[in-house]
Amino acid sequence: MKINTFNDLVEAIQNGKQNIIITRNILCNYSLLLPDNVDISGQEQENGQVPLLSFQNSDGIGISSNNTIKNLNIDVPSNHKAIFNTTVRKDLGVFNLENLQTTGQVSIITRVGVKTTKVKIQNLNIIASDSRFYLEQPQKYGVNVLQGALTIYNINPDEESILEVQAENVSIGQKNAPVSGSGIFICGFGDTGGKTHVKKLQTNSVYSNGKIPLGVADYITGGVFICYGAHADEVITDGEIVTYGVNDMVLDVWGSVENWTSNAPIISYGPSGVGFVNFGTVKNFIANAPLQTYGLGARGYNQYDGTVENITFKSIETFGDGSVGIQISKAIGNLTVNENVSTWGSIGSSLVKGVYVDLPAYAFSIKNGGSAKNITIKGNLQTFGDEVTTYIVEEGGNPGELQIEGKLIAKGKNSKTK
């Protein structure tokens, strides 16, 4: 059924039409709820543009079960939800989201009573969103994680509950106009309970800013965050992932990932951000482009908890005081850096598990309890700040088989190589 007015759209939904086609831009006076098995799509207009559904001061489109939304632009206030699910039942079927551009959050949250849900996303561009104020937030390691512009979250504690995800060509925010909160946030109930299974997540560029005030230690965000209770078979970031604010991680894992490939720069501009931080279990991680951090205490790669079997970086460079290049606190497998690990800062404050501590900008630090099977640095380990040690292994740390093909360099005043 083809629709070009809001009244006709409401009437079509109320009359049980299952395939609704929007042919013109429509201003909607309130949120729309699609019943089960109803699809809504846009038809290209004469100039090739798909229609725009605008919502004055409300959320956008609610979905129930087995719904498809495709070929539309959806505009809601940035602190509202452009797409959201509404019902609780054992099986929500499949939600298909295809060829969409939105302002406002896209949110799929499954709750107590939901056992099975599948989400398929193809070509989603969320250009603006503010997801900082939603209360469903995972908590661990002394911090809460803020939701993202794209939020997929199973908060059913039932261990038999599974939320299955496949998402490709996802773009979040715009360069120097990031979304507020996290970028992409995927989570399960916890270390036990309902799970979220990501078959594939492939992204274009992601730009996010948590807008967390400096000094607040118990909130964080992530550009791409695979949280606890979530297992990802494959994550591919083909566009740059950039975070701008305080405590904004760029890539973060609390759950588990089989294979993560980053093909574009990983950049953190804010204080106490981390380029890649892992508390979970990662089998293979490869960064084929540079990782850079600019803020105070913003580290490059941190292995806080869990482990990674194989991890490779092109290069790591940090510019802020207290911004460690690589810090390993747990046992890992094989670590390779194909070029240099460089730090330019001196001593500064950095967020560590919900507490601010002073750290020198070491190029490479292995903490007590940290270890590796093999470490290969094909370039230099180098520091340029004052009062810094380039390479340090604490008592109880073990670098395993270490090979540094370049040089150990310490350029700053009162600095040393090891």
Side-chain angles (χ1 to χ4, degrees):
M1 183 175 185
K2 294 188 176 182
I3 298 296
N4 58 22
T5 71
F6 179 64
N7 288 341
D8 287 345
L9 176 56
V10 171
E11 184 177 347
I13 293 172
Q14 291 175 343
N15 290 338
K17 301 298 182 183
Q18 292 193 322
N19 187 12
I20 300 172
I21 300 172
I22 308 297
T23 63
R24 288 289 186 255
N25 294 359
I26 297 175
L27 176 63
C28 302
N29 299 325
Y30 46 81
S31 298
L32 301 171
L33 174 60
L34 302 185
D36 301 349
N37 305 305
V38 172
D39 300 341
I40 187 169
S41 63
Q43 176 179 290
E44 285 189 358
Q45 300 172 88
E46 286 78 2
N47 63 356
Q49 295 296 304
V50 299
L52 171 67
L53 291 184
S54 300
F55 294 81
Q56 295 252 30
N57 192 29
S58 70
D59 294 332
I61 303 175
I63 49 182
S64 301
S65 71
N66 291 311
N67 298 120
T68 294
I69 305 175
K70 67 179 181 180
N71 300 335
L72 282 171
N73 298 306
I74 302 172
D75 178 27
V76 304
S78 62
N79 61 343
H80 284 65
K81 299 177 186 287
I83 298 171
F84 56 100
N85 63 308
T86 61
T87 58
V88 173
R89 65 190 66 176
K90 186 175 181 179
D91 186 357
L92 295 183
V94 181
F95 295 136
N96 285 295
L97 308 178
E98 183 178 345
N99 297 329
L100 301 174
Q101 178 171 288
T102 77
T103 60
Q105 186 191 50
V106 174
S107 168
I108 306 295
I109 299 179
T110 54
R111 305 177 186 276
V112 174
V114 178
K115 289 291 187 71
T116 305
T117 311
K118 294 182 179 180
V119 179
K120 295 182 179 180
I121 298 173
Q122 181 70 42
N123 299 330
L124 172 64
N125 181 17
I126 304 175
I127 59 174
S129 171
D130 187 349
S131 58
R132 293 173 293 163
F133 308 107
Y134 298 115
L135 296 180
E136 301 96 332
Q137 298 170 359
Q139 182 180 43
K140 200 175 182 180
Y141 308 110
V143 296
N144 285 39
V145 185
L146 301 183
Q147 289 185 25
L150 173 60
T151 290
I152 301 175
Y153 194 0
N154 184 356
I155 57 174
N156 184 354
D158 188 334
E159 292 187 355
E160 295 183 358
S161 175
I162 183 74
L163 172 54
E164 188 177 287
V165 182
Q166 181 152 334
E168 298 184 60
N169 290 325
V170 178
S171 303
I172 305 292
Q174 301 172 84
K175 197 178 191 71
N176 295 318
V179 297
S180 298
S182 292
I184 297 172
F185 168 99
I186 300 177
C187 194
F189 177 78
D191 294 326
T192 61
K195 304 299 182 185
T196 298
H197 178 201
V198 182
K199 289 187 171 183
K200 183 177 182 180
L201 170 64
Q202 183 268 322
T203 80
N204 302 317
S205 296
V206 174
Y207 304 97
S208 67
N209 185 347
K211 296 184 178 177
I212 299 166
L214 183 64
V216 173
D218 52 355
Y219 285 92
I220 68 170
T221 71
V224 179
F225 207 121
I226 306 297
C227 199
Y228 56 40
H231 173 82
D233 295 337
E234 184 177 28
V235 179
I236 303 171
T237 54
D238 284 327
E240 64 178 357
I241 312 298
V242 183
T243 62
Y244 291 86
V246 175
N247 305 350
D248 289 347
M249 311 301 126
V250 186
L251 309 178
D252 201 333
V253 177
W254 286 9
S256 60
V257 178
E258 292 290 318
N259 297 290
W260 190 318
T261 304
S262 177
N263 293 317
I266 301 165
I267 300 173
S268 165
Y269 287 113
S272 291
V274 182
F276 174 61
V277 55
N278 183 27
F279 290 84
T281 302
V282 178
K283 187 172 183 180
N284 299 300
F285 179 92
I286 301 174
N288 292 317
L291 184 158
Q292 295 178 320
T293 74
Y294 292 86
L296 173 70
R299 285 145 286 156
Y301 160 50
N302 243 140
Q303 186 71 45
Y304 269 132
D305 204 349
T307 190
V308 60
E309 292 186 20
N310 301 290
I311 183 166
T312 300
F313 294 94
K314 177 179 173 65
S315 63
I316 295 175
E317 189 171 28
T318 72
F319 293 92
D321 290 341
S323 297
V324 179
I326 296 174
Q327 185 177 81
I328 297 175
S329 300
K330 295 293 182 180
I332 67 169
N334 306 304
L335 168 62
T336 301
V337 182
N338 288 320
E339 298 178 9
N340 298 330
V341 179
S342 310
T343 70
W344 294 83
S346 181
I347 299 172
S349 179
S350 186
L351 181 69
V352 179
K353 293 185 179 180
V355 178
Y356 280 103
V357 297
D358 287 335
L359 292 175
Y362 305 118
F364 201 128
S365 168
I366 301 180
K367 306 289 286 183
N368 179 19
S371 66
K373 291 181 179 179
N374 298 281
I375 297 173
T376 301
I377 310 296
K378 295 184 179 181
N380 299 331
L381 287 180
Q382 53 191 18
T383 59
F384 296 91
D386 298 338
E387 310 288 343
V388 173
T389 301
T390 302
Y391 171 66
I392 184 169
V393 180
E394 294 184 1
E395 183 177 354
N398 182 2
E401 185 176 329
L402 174 66
Q403 183 178 3
I404 302 175
E405 297 179 6
K407 298 179 180 180
L408 285 175
I409 298 173
K411 290 286 191 179
K413 185 186 297 185
N414 297 325
S415 292
K416 56 185 180 179
T417 57
K418 59 182 179 178

